[in-house]
Amino acid sequence: MAAMTAKAAKKAMTGADELRDAEPRPVWWDGVQTGPRTEPLSGRRHADLVIVGAGYTGLWAAVEALTEDPARRVVLLEQDWVGAGASGRNGGFVSESLTHGIAHGEAMWPDELDELQRLGRQNVEEITGFLHTHGIDADLRLVGKTTLARTAHDYAALRDAVATYARRGDEVRFLDRDEVRADIHSSSFLGGLRTLRGGLVDPMALTLGLRRVAEELGANIFEGSPATGISRTGSTLTVRSAHGSVETSQVLLASNAYRPLLRRLRAWVLPVYDYVLATAPLTAEQLASIGWQQNQGLTDAGNQFHYFRRTRDDRIVWGGYDAVYHYGNAVRPELELRDASHRLLARHFRETFPQLAEVPFTHRWGGVIDTTTRFTPIFGTAFHGRLAYAVGFTGLGVASTRFGARVALDLLAGRDTERTRLKAVTGTAVPFPPEPLRWPAVELTRAALAREDETGRRGMLLRTFDRFGVGFNS
């Protein structure tokens, strides 16, 4: 056995060899129908609401709009097929946070953070009830999360964060080295912060469940129908696609990382690629070797962090660390695989769990995340209030997209609600610089974040960003 383990470990270090047979697709797509189920939009149609994008944000918007008014004519235009984008590719972490973490919320909106925390908890509670009511088996497990320290400065930061959570009414537990290693059997971790709120979900199962409910309520989804333009004549908006158009009184943009119809959003939303691996299902012996009996989600504490979790069939999904921006806001299918990032992830996995050296990787994939300079979504309207948008969820959209969809619907209806009064909603983000400055600016920021991970010190560039409300952190 020792010889086999050494051989497997040597193979693991070759990187490319062990990934050669990994399927280039998300593990979440196994056993489900992929590809389009509807015909593209054709001809001229009429609707009360057109939603551009049929991922989480768009599907939640359709469900909420039709629940509120079952007679509403709702059309969703999806450029690819439902589940092809981030909603069918992500790690499935269900977070209550609407502020990209409590520390970031305190830095950005300290006066309204208690309200944001309450609304975030309520949002997850309502999602849980929705899945139960509609019989959606999305493998939702409210098992919380442990954030793990790999360095002494991350250990100190997590220990100090306990007071912040307590001040905001969240119960957390700090784990020292012995406690965290008793839970997760890896010598990589020096400590951890265990939270019991939030949890995990199968992201593709959630997407398909939302699609089913939206269609049962009467939504019309057109796949393979990228929206190419929008115009206004009087009180009517016309959304155009390659082979058809829809005339409507209202539009909701839920395109997120993809090229938006509204020019202003191109300055605010940056598409970055995230990469992921999945292992074969672990045996009972292999599971015992790593502990992790609470089956919670796990993340590192750094800016460049891994996120990892177990699936319902006991695979490990291991992603993150690299966040790659391509010049000119490029978003293309061929960017979903990146050998350098996948090899790096494989090496980090083997270093973290050397006892799993013989476990193969069966899947590798990537996907594009929509981020903003403040690391939280932005909301607004155009065309004299006839169009609303909710974009920029920065990797925490599994739950918060429902909140964002409801904000956008409030804005379209002109409703004054507790959601629309939030500074986190009414404020906006500092724009990213245009190319050719955008790409070097992103690279400089990535380097500064990496230095902070190594040293524990926030350099001049990041401190300057902090003063201007730019939220470049994890």
Side-chain angles (χ1 to χ4, degrees), residues 276-305:
V276 197
L277 298 173
T279 71
L282 272 60
T283 65
E285 181 181 5
Q286 289 164 342
L287 287 171
S289 76
I290 60 173
W292 203 352
Q293 294 183 359
Q294 297 177 59
N295 207 5
Q296 75 272 32
L298 302 174
T299 68
D300 298 335
N303 295 308
Q304 292 180 293
F305 65 94

PDB file of all heavy atoms in Angstrom, residues 276-305:
ATOM      1  N   VAL A 276     -12.586  25.030 -11.040  1.00  0.00           N
ATOM      2  CA  VAL A 276     -13.066  24.044 -10.074  1.00  0.00           C
ATOM      3  C   VAL A 276     -12.662  22.637 -10.504  1.00  0.00           C
ATOM      4  O   VAL A 276     -12.585  22.339 -11.704  1.00  0.00           O
ATOM      5  CB  VAL A 276     -14.609  24.092  -9.946  1.00  0.00           C
ATOM      6  CG1 VAL A 276     -15.069  23.395  -8.681  1.00  0.00           C
ATOM      7  CG2 VAL A 276     -15.140  25.516  -9.992  1.00  0.00           C
ATOM      8  N   LEU A 277     -12.423  21.773  -9.501  1.00  0.00           N
ATOM      9  CA  LEU A 277     -12.209  20.343  -9.704  1.00  0.00           C
ATOM     10  C   LEU A 277     -13.221  19.570  -8.864  1.00  0.00           C
ATOM     11  O   LEU A 277     -13.710  20.076  -7.852  1.00  0.00           O
ATOM     12  CB  LEU A 277     -10.807  19.924  -9.271  1.00  0.00           C
ATOM     13  CG  LEU A 277      -9.613  20.536  -9.997  1.00  0.00           C
ATOM     14  CD1 LEU A 277      -8.320  20.120  -9.287  1.00  0.00           C
ATOM     15  CD2 LEU A 277      -9.582  20.119 -11.457  1.00  0.00           C
ATOM     16  N   ALA A 278     -13.496  18.340  -9.262  1.00  0.00           N
ATOM     17  CA  ALA A 278     -14.290  17.431  -8.441  1.00  0.00           C
ATOM     18  C   ALA A 278     -13.629  16.069  -8.451  1.00  0.00           C
ATOM     19  O   ALA A 278     -13.124  15.613  -9.487  1.00  0.00           O
ATOM     20  CB  ALA A 278     -15.722  17.334  -8.955  1.00  0.00           C
ATOM     21  N   THR A 279     -13.623  15.426  -7.301  1.00  0.00           N
ATOM     22  CA  THR A 279     -13.019  14.103  -7.180  1.00  0.00           C
ATOM     23  C   THR A 279     -14.051  13.021  -7.477  1.00  0.00           C
ATOM     24  O   THR A 279     -15.256  13.284  -7.550  1.00  0.00           O
ATOM     25  CB  THR A 279     -12.480  13.871  -5.764  1.00  0.00           C
ATOM     26  OG1 THR A 279     -13.596  13.720  -4.856  1.00  0.00           O
ATOM     27  CG2 THR A 279     -11.584  15.009  -5.305  1.00  0.00           C
ATOM     28  N   ALA A 280     -13.556  11.799  -7.569  1.00  0.00           N
ATOM     29  CA  ALA A 280     -14.445  10.645  -7.556  1.00  0.00           C
ATOM     30  C   ALA A 280     -15.073  10.530  -6.169  1.00  0.00           C
ATOM     31  O   ALA A 280     -14.558  11.093  -5.192  1.00  0.00           O
ATOM     32  CB  ALA A 280     -13.650   9.385  -7.873  1.00  0.00           C
ATOM     33  N   PRO A 281     -16.196   9.818  -6.039  1.00  0.00           N
ATOM     34  CA  PRO A 281     -16.781   9.618  -4.707  1.00  0.00           C
ATOM     35  C   PRO A 281     -15.784   8.930  -3.772  1.00  0.00           C
ATOM     36  O   PRO A 281     -15.083   7.997  -4.165  1.00  0.00           O
ATOM     37  CB  PRO A 281     -17.992   8.720  -4.984  1.00  0.00           C
ATOM     38  CG  PRO A 281     -18.354   8.990  -6.415  1.00  0.00           C
ATOM     39  CD  PRO A 281     -17.043   9.223  -7.111  1.00  0.00           C
ATOM     40  N   LEU A 282     -15.715   9.431  -2.544  1.00  0.00           N
ATOM     41  CA  LEU A 282     -14.804   8.857  -1.564  1.00  0.00           C
ATOM     42  C   LEU A 282     -15.412   7.611  -0.925  1.00  0.00           C
ATOM     43  O   LEU A 282     -16.630   7.527  -0.714  1.00  0.00           O
ATOM     44  CB  LEU A 282     -14.484   9.883  -0.465  1.00  0.00           C
ATOM     45  CG  LEU A 282     -13.302  10.830  -0.729  1.00  0.00           C
ATOM     46  CD1 LEU A 282     -13.517  11.679  -1.976  1.00  0.00           C
ATOM     47  CD2 LEU A 282     -13.057  11.727   0.477  1.00  0.00           C
ATOM     48  N   THR A 283     -14.554   6.664  -0.621  1.00  0.00           N
ATOM     49  CA  THR A 283     -14.985   5.469   0.093  1.00  0.00           C
ATOM     50  C   THR A 283     -15.170   5.816   1.571  1.00  0.00           C
ATOM     51  O   THR A 283     -14.746   6.875   2.049  1.00  0.00           O
ATOM     52  CB  THR A 283     -13.951   4.357  -0.031  1.00  0.00           C
ATOM     53  OG1 THR A 283     -12.738   4.772   0.631  1.00  0.00           O
ATOM     54  CG2 THR A 283     -13.631   4.056  -1.497  1.00  0.00           C
ATOM     55  N   ALA A 284     -15.780   4.903   2.319  1.00  0.00           N
ATOM     56  CA  ALA A 284     -15.956   5.114   3.755  1.00  0.00           C
ATOM     57  C   ALA A 284     -14.608   5.276   4.448  1.00  0.00           C
ATOM     58  O   ALA A 284     -14.452   6.111   5.353  1.00  0.00           O
ATOM     59  CB  ALA A 284     -16.729   3.943   4.356  1.00  0.00           C
ATOM     60  N   GLU A 285     -13.615   4.511   4.022  1.00  0.00           N
ATOM     61  CA  GLU A 285     -12.283   4.620   4.617  1.00  0.00           C
ATOM     62  C   GLU A 285     -11.660   5.980   4.319  1.00  0.00           C
ATOM     63  O   GLU A 285     -11.042   6.605   5.191  1.00  0.00           O
ATOM     64  CB  GLU A 285     -11.389   3.498   4.085  1.00  0.00           C
ATOM     65  CG  GLU A 285      -9.985   3.499   4.663  1.00  0.00           C
ATOM     66  CD  GLU A 285      -9.112   2.386   4.085  1.00  0.00           C
ATOM     67  OE1 GLU A 285      -9.575   1.671   3.173  1.00  0.00           O
ATOM     68  OE2 GLU A 285      -7.961   2.252   4.541  1.00  0.00           O
ATOM     69  N   GLN A 286     -11.817   6.438   3.088  1.00  0.00           N
ATOM     70  CA  GLN A 286     -11.257   7.743   2.713  1.00  0.00           C
ATOM     71  C   GLN A 286     -11.957   8.874   3.460  1.00  0.00           C
ATOM     72  O   GLN A 286     -11.320   9.831   3.907  1.00  0.00           O
ATOM     73  CB  GLN A 286     -11.366   7.931   1.204  1.00  0.00           C
ATOM     74  CG  GLN A 286     -10.416   7.042   0.424  1.00  0.00           C
ATOM     75  CD  GLN A 286     -10.777   6.930  -1.046  1.00  0.00           C
ATOM     76  OE1 GLN A 286     -11.918   7.233  -1.447  1.00  0.00           O
ATOM     77  NE2 GLN A 286      -9.836   6.489  -1.868  1.00  0.00           N
ATOM     78  N   LEU A 287     -13.277   8.779   3.606  1.00  0.00           N
ATOM     79  CA  LEU A 287     -14.001   9.784   4.369  1.00  0.00           C
ATOM     80  C   LEU A 287     -13.527   9.823   5.817  1.00  0.00           C
ATOM     81  O   LEU A 287     -13.335  10.899   6.392  1.00  0.00           O
ATOM     82  CB  LEU A 287     -15.505   9.504   4.316  1.00  0.00           C
ATOM     83  CG  LEU A 287     -16.216   9.808   2.994  1.00  0.00           C
ATOM     84  CD1 LEU A 287     -17.639   9.266   3.027  1.00  0.00           C
ATOM     85  CD2 LEU A 287     -16.234  11.306   2.734  1.00  0.00           C
ATOM     86  N   ALA A 288     -13.317   8.667   6.400  1.00  0.00           N
ATOM     87  CA  ALA A 288     -12.851   8.614   7.787  1.00  0.00           C
ATOM     88  C   ALA A 288     -11.481   9.255   7.928  1.00  0.00           C
ATOM     89  O   ALA A 288     -11.167   9.837   8.976  1.00  0.00           O
ATOM     90  CB  ALA A 288     -12.823   7.170   8.268  1.00  0.00           C
ATOM     91  N   SER A 289     -10.671   9.178   6.878  1.00  0.00           N
ATOM     92  CA  SER A 289      -9.306   9.708   6.967  1.00  0.00           C
ATOM     93  C   SER A 289      -9.262  11.227   7.001  1.00  0.00           C
ATOM     94  O   SER A 289      -8.236  11.805   7.383  1.00  0.00           O
ATOM     95  CB  SER A 289      -8.466   9.196   5.787  1.00  0.00           C
ATOM     96  OG  SER A 289      -8.791   9.884   4.579  1.00  0.00           O
ATOM     97  N   ILE A 290     -10.334  11.888   6.586  1.00  0.00           N
ATOM     98  CA  ILE A 290     -10.323  13.350   6.556  1.00  0.00           C
ATOM     99  C   ILE A 290     -11.250  13.966   7.609  1.00  0.00           C
ATOM    100  O   ILE A 290     -11.323  15.192   7.727  1.00  0.00           O
ATOM    101  CB  ILE A 290     -10.707  13.899   5.167  1.00  0.00           C
ATOM    102  CG1 ILE A 290     -12.102  13.444   4.748  1.00  0.00           C
ATOM    103  CG2 ILE A 290      -9.658  13.497   4.130  1.00  0.00           C
ATOM    104  CD1 ILE A 290     -12.591  14.100   3.462  1.00  0.00           C
ATOM    105  N   GLY A 291     -11.967  13.151   8.380  1.00  0.00           N
ATOM    106  CA  GLY A 291     -12.888  13.711   9.366  1.00  0.00           C
ATOM    107  C   GLY A 291     -14.079  14.359   8.686  1.00  0.00           C
ATOM    108  O   GLY A 291     -14.805  13.701   7.959  1.00  0.00           O
ATOM    109  N   TRP A 292     -14.277  15.655   8.988  1.00  0.00           N
ATOM    110  CA  TRP A 292     -15.303  16.451   8.287  1.00  0.00           C
ATOM    111  C   TRP A 292     -16.694  15.854   8.477  1.00  0.00           C
ATOM    112  O   TRP A 292     -17.510  15.821   7.560  1.00  0.00           O
ATOM    113  CB  TRP A 292     -14.928  16.531   6.810  1.00  0.00           C
ATOM    114  CG  TRP A 292     -15.482  17.667   6.027  1.00  0.00           C
ATOM    115  CD1 TRP A 292     -16.415  18.589   6.408  1.00  0.00           C
ATOM    116  CD2 TRP A 292     -15.143  18.001   4.668  1.00  0.00           C
ATOM    117  NE1 TRP A 292     -16.664  19.467   5.393  1.00  0.00           N
ATOM    118  CE2 TRP A 292     -15.886  19.131   4.314  1.00  0.00           C
ATOM    119  CE3 TRP A 292     -14.268  17.450   3.748  1.00  0.00           C
ATOM    120  CZ2 TRP A 292     -15.796  19.723   3.052  1.00  0.00           C
ATOM    121  CZ3 TRP A 292     -14.170  18.031   2.494  1.00  0.00           C
ATOM    122  CH2 TRP A 292     -14.919  19.157   2.148  1.00  0.00           C
ATOM    123  N   GLN A 293     -16.981  15.389   9.675  1.00  0.00           N
ATOM    124  CA  GLN A 293     -18.222  14.670   9.920  1.00  0.00           C
ATOM    125  C   GLN A 293     -19.450  15.568   9.878  1.00  0.00           C
ATOM    126  O   GLN A 293     -20.559  15.085   9.661  1.00  0.00           O
ATOM    127  CB  GLN A 293     -18.133  13.937  11.257  1.00  0.00           C
ATOM    128  CG  GLN A 293     -17.098  12.825  11.265  1.00  0.00           C
ATOM    129  CD  GLN A 293     -17.073  12.054  12.569  1.00  0.00           C
ATOM    130  OE1 GLN A 293     -17.818  12.352  13.497  1.00  0.00           O
ATOM    131  NE2 GLN A 293     -16.203  11.056  12.642  1.00  0.00           N
ATOM    132  N   GLN A 294     -19.267  16.869  10.105  1.00  0.00           N
ATOM    133  CA  GLN A 294     -20.419  17.773  10.065  1.00  0.00           C
ATOM    134  C   GLN A 294     -20.801  18.157   8.639  1.00  0.00           C
ATOM    135  O   GLN A 294     -21.851  18.773   8.420  1.00  0.00           O
ATOM    136  CB  GLN A 294     -20.124  19.028  10.887  1.00  0.00           C
ATOM    137  CG  GLN A 294     -19.897  18.745  12.362  1.00  0.00           C
ATOM    138  CD  GLN A 294     -19.534  20.003  13.126  1.00  0.00           C
ATOM    139  OE1 GLN A 294     -20.297  20.977  13.161  1.00  0.00           O
ATOM    140  NE2 GLN A 294     -18.354  20.022  13.737  1.00  0.00           N
ATOM    141  N   ASN A 295     -19.937  17.825   7.683  1.00  0.00           N
ATOM    142  CA  ASN A 295     -20.262  17.994   6.256  1.00  0.00           C
ATOM    143  C   ASN A 295     -20.522  19.445   5.880  1.00  0.00           C
ATOM    144  O   ASN A 295     -21.233  19.742   4.921  1.00  0.00           O
ATOM    145  CB  ASN A 295     -21.475  17.135   5.893  1.00  0.00           C
ATOM    146  CG  ASN A 295     -21.477  16.736   4.422  1.00  0.00           C
ATOM    147  OD1 ASN A 295     -20.532  17.010   3.683  1.00  0.00           O
ATOM    148  ND2 ASN A 295     -22.534  16.083   4.000  1.00  0.00           N
ATOM    149  N   GLN A 296     -19.958  20.384   6.630  1.00  0.00           N
ATOM    150  CA  GLN A 296     -20.165  21.801   6.353  1.00  0.00           C
ATOM    151  C   GLN A 296     -19.303  22.264   5.183  1.00  0.00           C
ATOM    152  O   GLN A 296     -18.362  21.589   4.774  1.00  0.00           O
ATOM    153  CB  GLN A 296     -19.819  22.640   7.601  1.00  0.00           C
ATOM    154  CG  GLN A 296     -18.323  22.791   7.898  1.00  0.00           C
ATOM    155  CD  GLN A 296     -17.765  21.680   8.758  1.00  0.00           C
ATOM    156  OE1 GLN A 296     -18.223  20.551   8.693  1.00  0.00           O
ATOM    157  NE2 GLN A 296     -16.756  22.003   9.562  1.00  0.00           N
ATOM    158  N   GLY A 297     -19.643  23.432   4.642  1.00  0.00           N
ATOM    159  CA  GLY A 297     -18.789  24.041   3.640  1.00  0.00           C
ATOM    160  C   GLY A 297     -17.511  24.547   4.277  1.00  0.00           C
ATOM    161  O   GLY A 297     -17.498  24.947   5.447  1.00  0.00           O
ATOM    162  N   LEU A 298     -16.440  24.565   3.514  1.00  0.00           N
ATOM    163  CA  LEU A 298     -15.137  25.002   4.002  1.00  0.00           C
ATOM    164  C   LEU A 298     -14.546  26.027   3.044  1.00  0.00           C
ATOM    165  O   LEU A 298     -14.670  25.884   1.825  1.00  0.00           O
ATOM    166  CB  LEU A 298     -14.166  23.829   4.137  1.00  0.00           C
ATOM    167  CG  LEU A 298     -14.582  22.675   5.062  1.00  0.00           C
ATOM    168  CD1 LEU A 298     -13.581  21.531   4.966  1.00  0.00           C
ATOM    169  CD2 LEU A 298     -14.722  23.147   6.497  1.00  0.00           C
ATOM    170  N   THR A 299     -13.918  27.054   3.605  1.00  0.00           N
ATOM    171  CA  THR A 299     -13.175  28.019   2.792  1.00  0.00           C
ATOM    172  C   THR A 299     -11.922  28.433   3.543  1.00  0.00           C
ATOM    173  O   THR A 299     -11.864  28.361   4.768  1.00  0.00           O
ATOM    174  CB  THR A 299     -13.993  29.299   2.491  1.00  0.00           C
ATOM    175  OG1 THR A 299     -14.192  30.033   3.701  1.00  0.00           O
ATOM    176  CG2 THR A 299     -15.327  28.978   1.864  1.00  0.00           C
ATOM    177  N   ASP A 300     -10.915  28.871   2.782  1.00  0.00           N
ATOM    178  CA  ASP A 300      -9.749  29.490   3.392  1.00  0.00           C
ATOM    179  C   ASP A 300     -10.076  30.938   3.735  1.00  0.00           C
ATOM    180  O   ASP A 300     -10.995  31.547   3.176  1.00  0.00           O
ATOM    181  CB  ASP A 300      -8.556  29.489   2.426  1.00  0.00           C
ATOM    182  CG  ASP A 300      -8.124  28.094   2.036  1.00  0.00           C
ATOM    183  OD1 ASP A 300      -8.387  27.168   2.808  1.00  0.00           O
ATOM    184  OD2 ASP A 300      -7.530  27.948   0.960  1.00  0.00           O
ATOM    185  N   ALA A 301      -9.252  31.509   4.618  1.00  0.00           N
ATOM    186  CA  ALA A 301      -9.500  32.871   5.076  1.00  0.00           C
ATOM    187  C   ALA A 301      -8.834  33.936   4.213  1.00  0.00           C
ATOM    188  O   ALA A 301      -9.116  35.113   4.375  1.00  0.00           O
ATOM    189  CB  ALA A 301      -9.016  33.025   6.526  1.00  0.00           C
ATOM    190  N   GLY A 302      -7.948  33.575   3.303  1.00  0.00           N
ATOM    191  CA  GLY A 302      -7.188  34.567   2.562  1.00  0.00           C
ATOM    192  C   GLY A 302      -7.965  35.223   1.447  1.00  0.00           C
ATOM    193  O   GLY A 302      -9.121  34.880   1.145  1.00  0.00           O
ATOM    194  N   ASN A 303      -7.318  36.205   0.807  1.00  0.00           N
ATOM    195  CA  ASN A 303      -7.902  36.827  -0.390  1.00  0.00           C
ATOM    196  C   ASN A 303      -7.967  35.823  -1.536  1.00  0.00           C
ATOM    197  O   ASN A 303      -8.967  35.730  -2.238  1.00  0.00           O
ATOM    198  CB  ASN A 303      -7.058  38.035  -0.808  1.00  0.00           C
ATOM    199  CG  ASN A 303      -7.072  39.139   0.224  1.00  0.00           C
ATOM    200  OD1 ASN A 303      -8.128  39.578   0.655  1.00  0.00           O
ATOM    201  ND2 ASN A 303      -5.890  39.590   0.637  1.00  0.00           N
ATOM    202  N   GLN A 304      -6.862  35.100  -1.745  1.00  0.00           N
ATOM    203  CA  GLN A 304      -6.845  34.006  -2.713  1.00  0.00           C
ATOM    204  C   GLN A 304      -7.223  32.754  -1.939  1.00  0.00           C
ATOM    205  O   GLN A 304      -6.378  32.133  -1.291  1.00  0.00           O
ATOM    206  CB  GLN A 304      -5.472  33.876  -3.353  1.00  0.00           C
ATOM    207  CG  GLN A 304      -5.098  35.045  -4.259  1.00  0.00           C
ATOM    208  CD  GLN A 304      -3.729  34.856  -4.867  1.00  0.00           C
ATOM    209  OE1 GLN A 304      -2.711  34.870  -4.188  1.00  0.00           O
ATOM    210  NE2 GLN A 304      -3.689  34.670  -6.177  1.00  0.00           N
ATOM    211  N   PHE A 305      -8.476  32.384  -1.994  1.00  0.00           N
ATOM    212  CA  PHE A 305      -8.952  31.318  -1.123  1.00  0.00           C
ATOM    213  C   PHE A 305      -9.524  30.155  -1.928  1.00  0.00           C
ATOM    214  O   PHE A 305     -10.016  30.320  -3.044  1.00  0.00           O
ATOM    215  CB  PHE A 305     -10.018  31.856  -0.159  1.00  0.00           C
ATOM    216  CG  PHE A 305     -11.288  32.316  -0.831  1.00  0.00           C
ATOM    217  CD1 PHE A 305     -12.370  31.470  -0.960  1.00  0.00           C
ATOM    218  CD2 PHE A 305     -11.387  33.608  -1.328  1.00  0.00           C
ATOM    219  CE1 PHE A 305     -13.536  31.891  -1.566  1.00  0.00           C
ATOM    220  CE2 PHE A 305     -12.551  34.046  -1.945  1.00  0.00           C
ATOM    221  CZ  PHE A 305     -13.628  33.192  -2.067  1.00  0.00           C
TER     222      PHE A 305
END
